């Protein structure tokens, strides 16, 4: 039955509603029930997605594709959200908006999956809104001046991007006479190139906002710095999973008469270069991770640029998304386990105070660089290969140079963390060597993430076999 094919999405939606209702009727000291509801919904969605992974590709209700890319996206989104909840247990427990936060995380996850699985422009617009609105609220839940500023900037850019996306959808519908991707593939083939280009650029612009790519990336570093740690981890990971899979589905049906590989290749080069150069000057750990995630979008755009030229593009994108998600969340889990760390120098002496946390930080940052045998190394290897096979050898050279540049700012964080010197004193600190608040859940999430980073890197054969042959349904 068609509805059963959407069991993961139904679980996420039901979990969000139940978590919200539970939070409305339970006293504040028992809001942890909403956390259990969210975890149960995510586990149900994950099990249902895993069981459906080997099924033949099909389209549900004529607009929602259930194929291998959708299945892997479901699993990555569910695992990422579980890790976000794990690293945020101590931060969120007892807060006034605890249950609402879990509901927003589930709705944001649902929006990312809908974006990734859509086969119709109208559903794409719904997925965009479903994944955007929870994002604004999550950024603003910090209830600080910085969080309010970040939420306002994210909302304004999101509103602009939403207008661009809807205008693009309207133009493409006008040219093709259909909103379904199958209709776009045939209807746009003989359409005038200029309006098709305008419509496609509008839709891709909206999706670039979700992914955090140039030129609609300005919200990312501010939101990463202003939001709570759990919210920052979520917004730099989950939305871009759905947006990039949605982009590769759309580019795959655009007419080949226009130079999409060159345009997307230039966007990829600009995004990774700008993100890396901006990260070089950062002294705040969260802001550095914000610019780092911008640069990572550049690498993720490489397989999108060559989707029509090589069969390796889709498996490469899925591999990189899985590796990036677990790596980025591990870095945020380390920050969640040591909440007094704001500047890079605040990590000084971490290896002496918390050797397990320091090991997780080393693994995550070396993975973000692309050092073997980590998850992002496997991802970079696959996207470089796909871009080379797709005829964008120049982009591979640019990406390799950017990888070397990125090593500089990740080392600026690793050096003080591995130093034997103590943490610098701040105003109001009576003891600069005082242990941070006990946060076993956040430290456990960091350890779990670090194991995941190595498991994906060392299990390259299994990962490659899982995504091998992944085609767009």
């Amino acid at each position: 039955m068609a509805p059963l094919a959407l069991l993961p999405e139904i679980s996420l939606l039901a979990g969000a509603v139940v978590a919200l209702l539970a939070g409305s009727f339970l006293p504040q000291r028992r809001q942890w029930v909403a956390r259990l509801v969210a975890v149960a919904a995510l586990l149900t969605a994950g099990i249902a997605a895993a069981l459906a992974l080997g099924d033949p590709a099909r389209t549900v209700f004529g607009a929602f594709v259930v194929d291998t890319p959708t299945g892997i996206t479901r699993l990555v989104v569910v695992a990422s959200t579980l890790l976000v909840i794990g690293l945020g247990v101590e931060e969120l427990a007892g807060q006034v908006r605890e249950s609402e936060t879990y509901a927003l995380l589930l709705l944001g996850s649902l929006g990312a999956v809908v974006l990734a699985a859509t086969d119709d422009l109208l559903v794409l617009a719904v997925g965009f809104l479903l994944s955007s609105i929870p994002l604004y609220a999550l950024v603003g839940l910090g209830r600080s001046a910085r969080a309010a500023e970040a939420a306002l900037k994210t909302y304004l850019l999101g509103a602009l991007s939403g207008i661009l996306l809807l205008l693009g959808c309207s133009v493409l519908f006008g040219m093709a006479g259909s909103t379904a991707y199958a209709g776009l593939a045939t209807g746009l083939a003989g359409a005038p190139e200029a309006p098709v280009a305008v419509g496609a650029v509008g839709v891709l612009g909206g999706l670039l906002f979700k992914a955090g790519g140039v030129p609609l990336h300005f919200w990312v570093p501010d939101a990463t710095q202003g939001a709570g740690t759990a919210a920052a981890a979520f917004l730099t990971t989950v939305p871009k999973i759905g947006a990039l899979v949605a982009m590769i589905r759309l580019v795959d049906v655009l007419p080949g008469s226009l130079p999409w590989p060159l345009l997307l290749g230039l966007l990829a080069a600009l995004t990774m270069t700008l993100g890396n150069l901006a990260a070089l000057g950062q002294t705040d750990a969260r802001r550095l991770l914000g610019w780092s995630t911008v640069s990572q979008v550049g690498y993720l755009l490489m397989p999108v640029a060559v989707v029509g030229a090589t069969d390796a593009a889709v498996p490469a994108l899925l591999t990189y998304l899985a590796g990036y998600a677990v790596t980025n969340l591990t870095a945020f889990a380390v920050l969640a386990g040591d909440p007094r760390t704001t500047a890079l120098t605040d990590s000084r002496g971490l290896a002496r105070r918390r050797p397990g946390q320091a090991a997780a930080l080393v693994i995550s940052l070396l993975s973000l660089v692309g050092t073997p045998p980590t998850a992002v190394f496997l991802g970079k290897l696959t996207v470089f290969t796909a871009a080379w096979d797709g005829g964008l050898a120049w982009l591979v050279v640019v990406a390799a140079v950017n990888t070397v540049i990125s090593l500089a700012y990740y080392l600026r964080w690793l050096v003080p963390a591995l130093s034997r010197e103590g943490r610098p004193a701040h105003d109001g600190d009576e003891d600069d060597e005082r242990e941070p608040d006990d946060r076993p859940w956040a430290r456990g999430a960091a350890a779990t993430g670090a194991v995941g980073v190595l498991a994906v890197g060392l299990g390259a054969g299994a990962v490659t076999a899982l995504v091998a042959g992944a085609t767009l349904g």
Side-chain angles (χ1 to χ4, degrees):
M1 294 176 63
L4 287 181
L6 302 181
L7 186 56
E9 290 72 30
I10 294 172
S11 299
L12 294 176
L13 179 60
V17 174
V18 174
L20 198 59
L21 291 175
S24 301
F25 291 101
L26 290 171
Q28 190 168 339
R29 68 178 185 281
R30 297 182 64 189
Q31 294 285 305
W32 54 266
V33 173
R35 185 192 316 145
L36 294 183
V37 171
V39 170
L42 287 164
L43 290 176
T44 303
I47 293 170
L51 293 176
L53 198 57
D55 294 347
R58 58 174 168 164
T59 301
V60 182
F61 301 127
F64 193 94
V65 182
V66 181
D67 55 6
T68 302
T70 297
I72 293 177
T73 299
R74 286 167 164 171
L75 292 175
V76 175
V77 167
V78 165
S80 299
T81 309
L82 282 171
L83 205 51
V84 168
I85 291 177
L87 70 88
V89 168
E90 289 91 356
E91 178 192 3
L92 301 175
Q95 285 195 1
V96 177
R97 303 297 179 195
E98 182 180 2
S99 58
E100 288 86 345
T101 302
Y102 297 128
L104 291 169
L105 290 176
L106 291 177
L107 290 174
S109 301
L110 175 60
V113 174
V114 171
L115 267 181
T118 183
D119 198 28
D120 189 287
L121 290 175
L122 294 178
V123 180
L124 180 73
V126 171
F128 179 87
L129 294 174
L130 186 56
S131 61
S132 296
I133 294 173
L135 200 63
Y136 311 144
L138 283 171
V139 175
L141 279 177
R143 308 185 74 173
S144 64
R146 182 168 284 170
E149 179 185 350
L152 180 61
K153 181 177 287 188
T154 305
Y155 170 74
L156 292 175
L157 272 176
L160 172 64
S161 304
I163 292 170
L164 279 176
L165 184 138
L166 291 175
L167 284 174
C169 290
S170 302
V171 173
L172 291 181
F173 169 68
M175 292 295 102
S178 172
T179 57
Y181 283 8
L184 291 179
T186 56
L188 295 180
E193 292 182 351
V196 172
V198 170
V201 167
V203 179
L204 292 174
L207 293 175
L208 276 173
F209 162 77
K210 298 300 303 173
V214 172
L216 294 165
H217 64 286
F218 295 105
W219 64 278
V220 178
D222 290 335
T224 306
Q225 187 180 22
T229 306
F234 183 84
L235 67 90
T236 56
T237 306
V238 174
K240 65 172 79 285
I241 297 172
L244 284 156
V245 178
M247 289 180 73
I248 206 167
R249 286 193 191 278
L250 179 65
V251 173
D252 189 48
V253 300
L254 292 177
S257 55
L258 292 166
W260 298 114
L262 178 60
L263 173 64
L264 289 165
L266 290 173
L267 275 175
L270 190 59
T271 300
M272 67 178 73
T273 303
L274 180 63
N276 281 326
L277 293 180
L280 283 174
Q282 302 304 317
T283 57
D284 184 280
R286 292 239 223 130
R287 202 165 179 86
L288 184 145
L289 284 178
W291 281 111
S292 164
T293 196
V294 172
S295 74
Q296 295 290 335
V297 176
Y299 300 106
L300 287 162
L301 284 171
M302 293 172 68
V304 178
V306 295
V307 62
T310 173
D311 293 336
V314 177
L317 176 65
L318 297 175
T319 302
Y320 202 128
L321 282 172
Y324 166 75
V326 67
T327 302
N328 189 57
L329 292 175
T330 301
F332 274 100
V334 173
L335 288 180
D338 191 2
R340 289 199 301 162
T341 296
T342 53
L344 298 181
T345 52
D346 291 337
S347 294
R348 190 177 297 163
L350 181 64
R352 179 167 51 83
R353 289 181 284 111
R354 298 278 187 187
Q357 291 290 93
L361 182 66
V362 169
I363 291 171
S364 61
L365 295 187
L366 290 182
S367 181
L368 286 172
V369 174
T371 307
T374 58
V376 173
F377 167 74
L378 177 62
K380 285 192 175 180
L381 189 64
T382 56
V383 300
F384 285 13
T385 303
W388 189 280
D389 290 346
L392 295 183
W394 64 270
L395 184 57
V396 177
V397 174
V398 172
V401 172
N402 270 277
T403 297
V404 176
I405 294 173
S406 69
L407 182 61
Y409 59 82
Y410 291 125
L411 282 177
R412 288 180 56 234
W413 193 352
L414 284 179
V415 169
L418 300 178
S419 169
R420 296 187 61 81
E421 298 178 17
R423 183 200 298 268
H426 294 284
D427 292 342
D429 278 354
E430 297 178 356
D431 180 3
D432 62 352
E433 288 297 290
R434 182 184 60 194
E435 287 296 323
D437 298 336
D438 191 26
R439 294 197 166 193
W441 281 98
R443 295 201 304 274
T448 303
V451 171
V453 171
L454 294 177
V456 173
L458 294 171
V463 175
T464 304
L466 182 65
V467 302
T471 55
L472 301 173

